[in-house]
Amino acid sequence: METNEEGKAEKTFKNFGKRVDEFMVEFHEASEKLRKEFEVKLDELKVSAEKLKKEAENNERWREVEGNLKKAGDELSNAFKAAFKKRNP
């Protein structure tokens, strides 16, 4: 009877070992899939970050252009005012 119980325990542990091995394979496959998905999302975020960076640079450049055009417009306005201002005799 004792050998029968030993055989049962060995069979149970062998079955448990097989299930652990199967779980490890599935876990490895799932981790690989998640790693690939993470890499894809990371690449997408890098592209988005680069786009935002370029847009921010363009916005700052256009703000600078807008400021310079406003200054130029003010100077031109002052020049016209000075040129056509009535002179007091």
Side-chain angles (χ1 to χ4, degrees), residues 14-62:
K14 186 176 180 180
N15 190 14
F16 176 74
K18 284 182 183 180
R19 289 188 180 182
V20 168
D21 289 342
E22 289 171 0
F23 172 78
M24 292 303 294
V25 168
E26 288 176 15
F27 179 76
H28 180 71
E29 289 172 356
S31 67
E32 279 296 309
K33 182 180 177 184
L34 287 174
R35 183 184 60 79
K36 288 177 183 176
E37 287 178 13
F38 176 76
E39 287 176 356
V40 168
K41 291 293 183 187
L42 184 61
D43 289 340
E44 289 174 1
L45 286 173
K46 286 179 182 178
V47 168
S48 294
E50 192 61 35
K51 284 181 183 177
L52 285 174
K53 182 179 175 184
K54 286 180 182 179
E55 286 179 14
E57 289 172 356
N58 286 338
N59 284 340
E60 285 189 31
R61 182 176 62 122
W62 285 112

Side-chain angles (χ1 to χ4, degrees), residues 71-88:
K71 287 179 189 176
D74 291 342
E75 289 295 319
L76 188 59
S77 175
N78 290 338
F80 276 109
K81 285 177 185 175
F84 297 105
K85 182 168 127 179
K86 289 185 181 178
R87 295 185 186 196
N88 291 334

